[in-house]
Amino acid sequence: SSQNMDKKPAKGDYLDILLRSPQTVFSTKDAALLWSEDKKITISNRLNKYATAGKLIRVRRGLYVKDKNYDRFELATRIYTPSYISFETVLTRSGINFQYYGNIFVATYVTREITVDGQRISFVRMKDYVLTNTAGIDHTDGYAKATKERAFLDRIYMSKDYHFDHLDVLDWDKVFEIIPIYHNKKMYKKVQKYFDYYKSTLVWH
């Protein structure tokens, strides 16, 4: 909003504003918002100056971190926007899949593999209406991340046949609540198959 643009921080405060922010990763867009600054060249020059002085670390063009303890998931969601952590990154961490993946999976509007600061990030292109729908997206850690139910559905949406190791941890009500965002009739049938399989395993417990 234009009101904020009038209130420029005092000269020495720019770095402080970044360091006091709960974010650990800053894109030039983030800095623009935090500083109420709209001149791109001013923002880039200032960030570069802090990086040269060792007060911030530049990890990629237009991306800076406070220090080496930055959050890698936060970094992964700052490269393209909108984007959110999903797929195997969420599935393995919630116990649905057991295989470990070293790369971070991110849903966004392009398909690309990049490495930033030694971390491989796999971007998966999603249709706009899926990507921008926040059903089953969690923001508690300062970046967007799929819930286990949303990550499960994202994977089904993107893959023909997929083996999940462990379906017990899913909240099936949430799964069926989120399905409509994909605008995909075939998904209902696929999910129903996984659900029937899950129910059939319960008989033995």
Side-chain angles (χ1 to χ4, degrees), residues 8-199:
K8 288 252 164 51
K11 203 175 169 77
D13 291 344
Y14 289 114
L15 182 64
D16 272 0
I17 287 168
L18 296 188
L19 298 180
R20 277 202 309 267
S21 151
Q23 284 172 228
T24 66
V25 181
F26 304 96
S27 64
T28 38
K29 274 185 202 161
D30 294 326
L33 287 169
L34 287 163
W35 291 338
S36 310
E37 174 62 72
D38 46 9
K39 289 195 194 74
K40 278 187 182 157
I41 188 84
T42 306
I43 297 160
S44 292
N45 288 346
R46 199 178 288 150
L47 287 166
N48 278 327
K49 200 179 77 190
Y50 293 140
T52 309
K55 301 201 161 123
L56 292 174
I57 303 166
R58 182 175 179 268
V59 286
R60 182 182 161 87
R61 190 165 167 255
L63 267 191
Y64 299 81
V65 297
K66 281 182 187 175
D67 55 45
K68 280 292 181 187
N69 303 316
Y70 68 88
D71 188 318
R72 283 171 181 265
F73 287 177
E74 202 183 316
L75 174 82
T77 58
R78 283 285 185 283
I79 296 165
Y80 301 112
T81 48
S83 65
Y84 61 89
I85 305 284
S86 187
F87 306 108
E88 284 66 19
T89 304
V90 175
L91 295 171
T92 51
R93 278 163 182 78
S94 51
I96 294 168
N97 281 14
F98 301 145
Q99 190 189 339
Y100 174 75
Y101 294 84
N103 51 332
I104 297 171
F105 286 90
V106 181
T108 189
Y109 57 88
V110 289
T111 295
R112 205 159 288 169
E113 286 254 341
I114 65 169
T115 301
V116 182
D117 197 22
Q119 172 65 61
R120 218 166 86 235
I121 307 165
S122 304
F123 293 97
V124 181
R125 185 177 178 274
M126 299 288 268
K127 290 212 164 78
D128 275 356
Y129 54 79
V130 179
L131 187 59
T132 55
N133 196 307
T134 55
I137 302 286
D138 180 53
H139 288 89
T140 42
D141 294 317
Y143 54 85
K145 183 173 162 218
T147 58
K148 52 190 188 294
E149 291 77 20
R150 169 87 182 232
F152 167 72
L153 289 168
D154 279 351
R155 183 35 83 206
I156 292 172
Y157 177 66
M158 296 307 290
S159 302
K160 236 191 156 91
D161 291 304
Y162 192 86
H163 172 75
F164 298 96
D165 296 310
H166 201 66
L167 297 173
D168 293 29
V169 289
L170 288 169
D171 177 331
W172 288 94
D173 289 339
K174 284 186 187 157
V175 168
F176 286 104
E177 252 167 54
I178 300 168
I179 291 180
I181 74 164
Y182 298 93
H183 301 208
N184 186 321
K185 291 221 165 65
K186 280 186 195 150
M187 270 187 75
Y188 280 97
K189 282 187 187 139
K190 279 190 191 178
V191 172
Q192 192 63 49
K193 271 188 186 159
Y194 285 112
F195 184 52
D196 292 341
Y197 172 74
Y198 158 71
K199 280 191 301 195

Side-chain angles (χ1 to χ4, degrees), residues 168 196-205:
D168 293 29
D196 292 341
Y197 172 74
Y198 158 71
K199 280 191 301 195
S200 76
T201 62
L202 290 185
V203 182
W204 303 103
H205 293 332

